[in-house]
Amino acid sequence: MTTTAHAFKFSRTGGPDVLEWVSDQVPPPAEGQVQIRHEAIGVNYIDVYHRSGIYPLPLPSGIGVEGAGTIEAVGSGVSDFAVGDRVAYAGGPPGAYATVRNAPAARVVKLPAEVSSKAAASLTFKGLTVEYLIRRCHQVKAGDFVLWHAAAGGIGLIACQWLKAMGATVIGTVGSEEKTKLVRANGCDHPIVYTKQSFVEQVKEITKGEGVAVVYDSVGAQTFGGSLDCLRMTGTLVSFGTSSGPVPPFDLGVLGAKGSLFVTRPSIAHYTAKRPDLEKGAAAVFEAIESGTIKAAGVTEYLLPDAAQAHRDLEARKTSGSLILLP
């Protein structure tokens, strides 16, 4: 039996106005799927990349890769979940901007009783991102100096909290003086207002000329060159987003000239592709939530039908912390 739901779809790429709020008939879950009624949905910058075509999807398409709710039906071949289970997911086929959806059971994890659906939608995707970036993509060590761009964003605030708990010294770029207070409250030792100060000069001063062990850069074109200049010898630049535009091609010889630097362009899809890696990462995130190591800071809530406005605010950098949609 099909279930009547509402969802956002888009049939062409572009600005937030391409998102269409439609009535949707959700069929019973197919083999290997579960049907989830959402209680909260996460908004992530990858949604903007999908909508705008930076990360192309086959069209027409749903949108959104993170949600939390309750399982209403289970497809054949699924043995790890049952109707009534509270679950969350991050990644997999887009389609989270919906009241009800079918999702691959392989991408779904059970929620501990102590983790609310709102917290899960605020923290699962971003927490999984931070986990693989700081523990597996580049393993941050106690005492390391770390530079995190866009520190007041949803991922940035979680990263500041987690890095501080690991014993790192956190340097974070923000766009305004107001945001310096927010990032300080979440573990950032040295906020830099990049609109008023040279983050390269500030990093050199903070590290006494040595540079940082690793830079985490989701901004892209505007910061890439400066990020390289902030690294210590044999340091690592982790480029995991392009909110200011894609990084143009560059001469690999620059990496040698600047100190035998490393650069990587990772994706959460690859770091959680295997079920054991997803489960291990999710367990670390939920443990960090339960222990208070990370928490959702500065969460902005929108009603699900207002998703286009959430995108406008996110792209205009009017928000800080996590954005969630409530059905």
Side-chain angles (χ1 to χ4, degrees), residues 101-315:
R101 74 165 298 185
N102 294 330
R107 301 303 309 173
V108 175
V109 293
K110 291 182 181 179
L111 277 180
E114 296 80 7
V115 179
S116 70
S117 292
K118 285 186 178 182
S122 303
L123 292 169
T124 301
F125 185 87
K126 297 173 183 66
L128 283 170
T129 300
V130 173
E131 189 276 334
Y132 91 80
L133 288 174
I134 67 176
R135 290 167 36 122
R136 292 188 284 145
C137 181
H138 175 90
Q139 190 171 1
V140 175
K141 300 178 179 63
D144 279 348
F145 282 86
V146 175
L147 172 61
W148 198 288
H149 288 297
I155 292 175
L157 290 176
I158 296 166
C160 289
Q161 296 169 28
W162 209 332
L163 287 166
K164 188 66 175 177
M166 294 170 67
T169 298
V170 186
I171 307 170
T173 64
V174 296
S176 68
E177 289 289 348
E178 182 180 359
K179 289 182 178 180
T180 64
K181 300 174 184 177
L182 177 63
V183 296
R184 280 190 188 279
N186 284 275
C188 181
D189 299 284
H190 302 281
I192 299 171
V193 182
Y194 68 87
T195 54
K196 296 182 178 180
Q197 301 168 296
S198 163
F199 69 82
V200 176
E201 292 178 3
Q202 291 297 306
V203 166
K204 294 296 186 184
E205 182 177 331
I206 293 165
T207 63
K208 295 180 170 54
E210 181 178 352
V212 297
V214 58
V215 178
Y216 291 99
D217 190 341
S218 63
V219 178
Q222 289 182 358
T223 51
F224 185 80
S227 292
L228 291 177
D229 290 335
C230 289
L231 289 169
R232 72 185 186 194
M233 193 177 299
T234 70
T236 300
L237 170 54
V238 181
S239 174
F240 68 102
T242 57
S243 62
S244 69
V247 176
F250 73 102
D251 180 0
L252 286 175
V254 170
L255 302 180
K258 291 183 179 291
S260 297
L261 306 180
F262 295 84
V263 175
T264 183
R265 183 64 169 87
S267 168
I268 189 174
H270 300 140
Y271 279 84
T272 61
K274 297 178 180 178
R275 179 72 187 180
D277 290 337
L278 172 62
E279 290 179 334
K280 187 175 180 180
V285 172
F286 295 147
E287 181 182 345
I289 294 171
E290 293 177 77
S291 68
T293 298
I294 63 172
K295 61 184 183 298
V299 178
T300 304
E301 299 179 0
Y302 298 80
L303 295 178
L304 177 55
D306 297 328
Q309 186 59 49
H311 276 223
R312 293 186 190 98
D313 292 347
L314 179 62
E315 290 183 274

Side-chain angles (χ1 to χ4, degrees), residues 31-101:
E31 182 178 359
Q33 291 185 331
V34 294
Q35 187 169 103
I36 301 170
R37 181 167 294 276
H38 285 130
E39 296 169 2
I41 297 150
V43 177
N44 298 283
Y45 221 95
I46 194 172
D47 304 344
V48 174
Y49 296 155
H50 286 155
R51 188 209 72 220
S52 63
I54 293 175
Y55 292 175
L57 295 172
L59 298 178
S61 175
I63 188 168
V65 296
E66 177 181 32
T70 303
I71 290 181
E72 292 199 326
V74 175
S76 63
V78 176
S79 58
D80 294 337
F81 299 99
V83 173
D85 283 348
R86 295 180 60 248
V87 296
Y89 64 90
Y97 291 16
T99 52
V100 177
R101 74 165 298 185

